[in-house]
């Protein structure tokens, strides 16, 4: 670490400058505003912690947090299982593996808003038509209840992100030395045992990375939520990010929303740090 | 190694200089615009996406006639988008000179920025009642865009086939009878259901539907609603009855039905006989089927006891002029708005290009372009109107409270009494 000469700092300046302009300074400002009655135009009063006290009594905010947590738990599990399975499929010596990789990754290239609208059409119109053609009641009226709205969001997010998580797992799977697998094979391990005892421990670092990614993304989801359900029916599928935007812009309580955002930040940061810490612990050295 | 360091130094110096250059270039622009001093520049920030092009055309025409004025128009789509974009514009110091205020709560919010427009010709010509929600004592803080109205838009052919005369539908019972007749002959008439109730759109239920039944309580005046400490739901039962009727005979599930399905898919393709909407849907229907739009649609009032045969008609938005702008810019802004609504050229454009129902006197209203607007204008002209009081509801009450709870009610997770109680307490909370 002796390279702290002029060029080191010169190279760093643009990044530090832009980072502080768009992230650090607004964050500090927002933190300060969360203690006032800021309405987006002026902040005339310092309120202390009253915004923070108020927000825990805000049923809608608490509901949104609860909904987001449930959603995150389900998507994190699903995404990692699916991502790893897809990765295992395409790392087999299949002729179509390159093609499959592309296909699986593709949803990730479409923006969340568009995806939301596409799936809205699928859930509402396509599901409905299939449901009435085959006489399956359960396919009718998707997105019109809280449960189907929840699963709609889960399906959408999983479909979109699984390919991305797959790529991470592929990278780690390909790093596993062949000798280890061969040795296990010679020792008489069947393919399930090989996976359980050799492959699985060795891709642990991939779990750390992809769990962090899936966790933080599913907590912060906004655009898919907005375009798929827009929080409906009756704001019951509204996630935290959306609830904050609503408080800020449609209820016009900027400072209150800012306080919610601070709490949200602390929540996500705590969970993510804890997750990385525990995952790191169970990684094994190769 | 030394050579490497040298290149690194040069490269970083270059990088830094390009960053700095990026910062300084804005200064150059500043000096170039200052060169043409006799020009007045007016920045307009408006919400109506539907008439963006027509509006820009008329602005160009105005600029040609008045070479000293330069007008920039920026349009951001309706609802929340506009509100938040406007707020960001103000917060960042890029304040527009002309912007839109929707009603009393926005007026209150931007109070310090609003110019008194009572000395404009347009304010003089504004129709009676249209300035109510932007008037504070003697001061007028906004000029109306236009008038809009809503009710039950119906399909004339289907009504004829079913043998129903729309003019006879005045009371709730009349409507109920008509709906039952339509429902009984669904197959013969080739419709999927009588109504398409888009409960997913909280503004359709929360704003419009409720407004018809709440307006009498606040004397049809948005300012009264704005000042009210509480809401009694005096006509709550009637509102429930009307909502239930629409829901019962609607394409299901109404709760995930949205605006475009309602208007474009179901009504325009003649899948339903009636929808609760306003004259703004005309263009959407026209795009789907011009023939149908021109000849086959009409509007009947929502039946409100004691106000039978009246349509809710109101001003959706107002033009405001920024008080912080330079005096000559304020003058130019007022002149432009006056010209737009009171000059002969302006009037022509407002009627024929914007397809507005004018909110000002002195228009040749026989020229109103579409049949829906024409009908609504007649109701307004005869004074058979209900006010648009939802402009005075607490901000976000319609969307986050009433509209959302109506969804909850329709999905059976809440009773009507609970809905009234909780909406009431949320109203009181917001007014504290």
């Amino acid at each position: 670490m002796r390279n702290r000469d002029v060029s080191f700092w010169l190279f760093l300046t643009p990044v530090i400058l832009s980072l502080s302009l768009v992230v650090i300074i607004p964050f500090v400002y927002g933190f300060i505003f969360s203690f006032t009655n800021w309405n987006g135009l002026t902040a005339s009063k310092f309120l202390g912690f009253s915004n923070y006290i108020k927000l825990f009594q805000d049923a809608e905010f608490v509901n949104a947090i609860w909904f987001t947590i449930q959603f995150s738990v389900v998507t994190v599990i699903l995404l990692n299982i699916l991502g790893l399975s897809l990765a295992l499929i395409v790392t087999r010596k299949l002729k179509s593996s390159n093609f499959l990789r592309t296909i699986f990754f593709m949803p990730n290239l479409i923006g969340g808003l568009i995806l939301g609208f596409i799936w809205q059409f699928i859930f509402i119109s396509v599901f409905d038509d299939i449901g009435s053609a085959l006489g399956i009641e359960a396919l009718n009226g998707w997105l019109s209840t809280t449960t189907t709205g929840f699963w709609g969001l889960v399906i959408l997010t999983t479909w979109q992100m699984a390919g991305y998580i797959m790529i991470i797992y592929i990278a780690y799977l390909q790093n596993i030395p062949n000798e280890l697998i061969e040795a296990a094979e010679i020792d008489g391990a069947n393919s399930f045992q090989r996976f359980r005892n050799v492959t699985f421990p060795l891709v642990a670092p991939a779990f750390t990375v992809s769990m962090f990614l899936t966790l933080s993304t599913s907590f912060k989801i906004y655009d898919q939520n907005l375009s798929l359900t827009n929080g409906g029916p009756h704001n019951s599928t509204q996630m935290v990010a959306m609830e904050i935007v609503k408080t800020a812009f449609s209820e016009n309580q900027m400072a209150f929303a800012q306080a919610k955002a601070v709490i949200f930040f602390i929540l996500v940061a705590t969970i993510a740090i804890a997750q990385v810490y525990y995952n790191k612990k169970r990684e094994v050295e190769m | 190694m030394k050579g490497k360091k040298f290149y690194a130094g040069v490269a970083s110096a270059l990088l830094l200089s390009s960053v700095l250059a990026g910062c300084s270039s804005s200064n150059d622009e500043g000096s170039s615009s200052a060169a043409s001093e006799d020009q007045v520049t007016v920045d307009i920030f408006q919400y109506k996406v539907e008439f963006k092009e027509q509006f820009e055309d008329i602005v160009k025409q105005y600029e040609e006639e008045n070479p000293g004025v330069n007008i920039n128009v920026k349009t951001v789509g309706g609802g929340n988008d506009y509100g938040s974009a406007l707020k960001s514009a103000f917060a960042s110091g890029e304040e527009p000179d002309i912007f839109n205020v929707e009603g009393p709560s926005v007026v209150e919010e931007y109070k310090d920025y609003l110019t008194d427009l009572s000395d404009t010709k347009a304010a003089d010509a504004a129709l009676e009642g249209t300035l109510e929600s932007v008037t504070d004592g003697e001061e007028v803080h906004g000029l109306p865009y236009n008038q809009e109205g809503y009710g039950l838009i119906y399909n004339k052919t289907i009504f004829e086939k079913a043998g129903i005369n729309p003019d006879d539908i005045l009371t709730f019972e009349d409507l109920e009878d008509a709906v039952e007749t339509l429902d009984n002959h669904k197959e013969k008439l080739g419709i999927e259901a009588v109504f398409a109730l888009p409960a997913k759109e909280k503004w359709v239920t929360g704003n419009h539907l409720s407004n018809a039944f709440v307006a009498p309580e606040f004397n049809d005046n948005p300012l009264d609603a704005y000042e009210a400490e509480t809401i009694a739901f005096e006509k709550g039962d009637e509102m429930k009855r009307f909502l239930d009727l629409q829901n019962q005979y609607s394409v299901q599930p109404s709760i995930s039905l949205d605006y475009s399905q309602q208007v474009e898919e179901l009504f325009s393709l003649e899948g339903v006989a009636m929808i609760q909407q306003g004259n703004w849907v005309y263009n959407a229907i026209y795009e789907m089927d011009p023939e149908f739009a021109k000849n086959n649609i009409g509007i009947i009032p929502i039946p409100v006891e004691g106000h039978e045969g009246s349509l809710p008609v109101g001003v959706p938005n107002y033009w405001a002029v920024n008080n912080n702008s330079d005096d000559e810019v304020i003058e130019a802004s007022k002149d432009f708005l006056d010209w737009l609504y009171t000059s002969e050229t302006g009037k022509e454009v407002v009627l024929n290009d914007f397809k507005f129902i004018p909110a000002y006197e002195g228009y040749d209203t026989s020229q109103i372009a579409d049949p829906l607007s024409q009908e609504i204008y007649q109701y307004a002209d005869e004074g058979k109107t209900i006010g648009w009081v939802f402009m005075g509801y607490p901000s976000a009450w319609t969307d986050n409270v009433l509209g959302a709870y109506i969804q909850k009610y329709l999905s059976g997770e809440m009773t009507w009494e609970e809905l009234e109680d909780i909406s009431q307490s949320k109203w009181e909370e917001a007014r504290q």
Side-chain angles (χ1 to χ4, degrees), chain B residues 204-247:
Chain B
V204 173
T205 50
N207 280 340
H208 290 161
L209 189 139
S210 74
N211 174 72
F213 299 96
V214 169
E217 191 175 325
F218 296 120
N219 310 317
D220 291 315
N221 187 339
L223 272 183
D224 282 9
Y226 184 64
E227 278 151 17
E229 297 280 314
T230 185
I231 178 168
F233 286 111
E234 281 165 16
K235 286 180 174 289
D237 292 340
E238 269 184 66
M239 184 170 142
K240 173 182 184 294
R241 203 167 63 167
F242 180 66
L243 177 69
D244 285 344
L245 182 79
Q246 273 202 68
N247 187 46

Side-chain angles (χ1 to χ4, degrees), chain B residues 293-367:
Chain B
K294 268 189 249 164
N295 305 322
N296 267 332
I297 54 178
I299 191 163
I300 40 182
I302 294 171
V304 181
E305 269 170 32
H307 301 263
E308 284 91 355
S310 295
L311 279 185
V313 176
V315 176
N317 225 317
Y318 295 85
W319 298 103
V321 176
N322 191 343
N323 215 3
N324 264 1
S325 306
D326 299 333
D327 286 342
E328 73 241 29
V329 176
I330 294 180
E331 275 318 306
S333 307
K334 285 184 184 171
D335 286 344
F336 169 69
L337 290 174
D338 269 348
W339 178 83
L340 180 63
Y341 285 110
T342 58
S343 76
E344 286 310 313
T345 337
K347 284 183 194 169
E348 277 285 318
V349 171
V350 166
L351 273 181
N352 297 324
D353 295 349
F354 296 175
K355 298 205 168 57
F356 278 175
I357 305 175
Y360 299 92
E361 285 163 4
Y363 279 76
D364 176 12
T365 46
S366 64
Q367 277 189 40

Side-chain angles (χ1 to χ4, degrees), chain A residues 77-89 158 161-167 169-170 173:
Chain A
I77 295 171
L78 273 180
L79 267 176
N80 281 289
I81 293 175
L82 206 68
L84 183 58
S85 321
L86 293 180
L88 286 171
I89 293 171
T158 320
M161 258 193 99
Y164 187 73
I165 301 302
M166 171 192 78
I167 299 281
Y169 281 114
I170 291 176
L173 281 173

Side-chain angles (χ1 to χ4, degrees), chain B residues 38-290:
Chain B
D38 49 340
Q39 280 269 343
V40 179
T41 302
V42 178
D43 291 314
I44 300 182
F45 190 42
Q46 68 95 20
Y47 88 107
K48 208 170 179 58
V49 199
E50 302 94 282
F51 86 142
K52 179 172 178 284
E53 273 168 43
Q54 293 91 322
F55 187 60
E56 278 165 7
D57 288 345
I58 185 78
V59 162
K60 240 176 255 155
Q61 199 181 332
Y62 184 76
E63 281 175 335
E64 273 160 30
E65 286 175 28
N66 301 270
V69 186
N70 179 21
I71 301 180
N72 302 321
V73 183
K74 215 164 120 192
T75 305
V76 167
N80 287 342
D81 298 346
Y82 181 78
S84 46
L86 180 66
K87 184 154 271 186
S88 320
F90 271 92
S92 68
E94 303 237 326
E95 300 176 14
D97 303 309
I98 299 181
F99 58 100
N100 299 151
V101 288
E102 214 184 356
S105 57
V106 185
V107 168
E108 177 70 32
E109 215 177 299
Y110 288 91
K111 207 168 55 189
D112 301 341
Y113 299 96
L114 300 174
T115 312
D116 178 16
L117 298 172
S118 53
D119 57 344
T120 55
K121 272 188 264 171
D124 265 351
L127 293 180
E128 204 194 317
T130 52
L131 291 175
E132 256 166 21
S133 60
V134 288
T135 306
D136 182 14
E138 292 286 286
E139 291 192 7
V140 173
H141 289 139
L143 297 172
Y145 253 82
N146 60 342
Q147 295 192 90
E148 288 182 346
Y150 66 88
L152 293 167
I153 297 178
Y154 67 94
N155 182 323
K156 283 185 181 165
T157 326
I158 293 178
F159 267 56
E160 243 165 64
K161 265 197 222 162
I164 300 165
N165 180 2
D167 297 334
D168 291 345
I169 301 177
L170 283 174
T171 65
F172 180 79
E173 284 70 29
D174 297 341
L175 181 68
E176 214 173 18
D177 286 345
V179 168
E180 267 161 25
T181 317
L182 286 166
D183 191 61
N184 288 337
H185 300 101
K186 253 197 310 202
E187 255 142 64
K188 199 184 89 194
L189 299 169
I191 52 174
E192 209 175 308
V194 180
F195 290 104
L197 170 70
K200 186 176 186 202
E201 307 288 354
K202 289 178 251 179
W203 57 273
V204 173
T205 50
N207 280 340
H208 290 161
L209 189 139
S210 74
N211 174 72
F213 299 96
V214 169
E217 191 175 325
F218 296 120
N219 310 317
D220 291 315
N221 187 339
L223 272 183
D224 282 9
Y226 184 64
E227 278 151 17
E229 297 280 314
T230 185
I231 178 168
F233 286 111
E234 281 165 16
K235 286 180 174 289
D237 292 340
E238 269 184 66
M239 184 170 142
K240 173 182 184 294
R241 203 167 63 167
F242 180 66
L243 177 69
D244 285 344
L245 182 79
Q246 273 202 68
N247 187 46
Q248 193 190 338
Y249 293 99
S250 163
V251 176
Q252 294 294 337
S254 59
I255 217 166
S256 60
L257 204 67
D258 66 19
Y259 175 76
S260 88
Q261 281 176 296
Q262 179 203 25
V263 176
E264 285 156 26
E265 251 180 81
L266 292 164
F267 187 72
S268 298
L269 300 179
E270 310 194 40
V272 295
M274 268 187 275
I275 53 171
Q276 182 211 309
Q277 275 302 348
N279 59 309
W280 50 84
V281 300
Y282 183 77
N283 280 338
I285 299 174
Y286 188 85
E287 304 263 299
M288 296 293 289
D289 188 345

Side-chain angles (χ1 to χ4, degrees), chain A residues 39 120 144 234 249 251-252, chain B residues 84 87 109 200 400 404 407:
Chain A
N39 66 358
Q120 191 183 54
S144 63
H234 51 85
F249 291 109
E251 286 170 35
N252 209 5
Chain B
S84 46
K87 184 154 271 186
E109 215 177 299
K200 186 176 186 202
N400 288 351
Q407 291 182 339

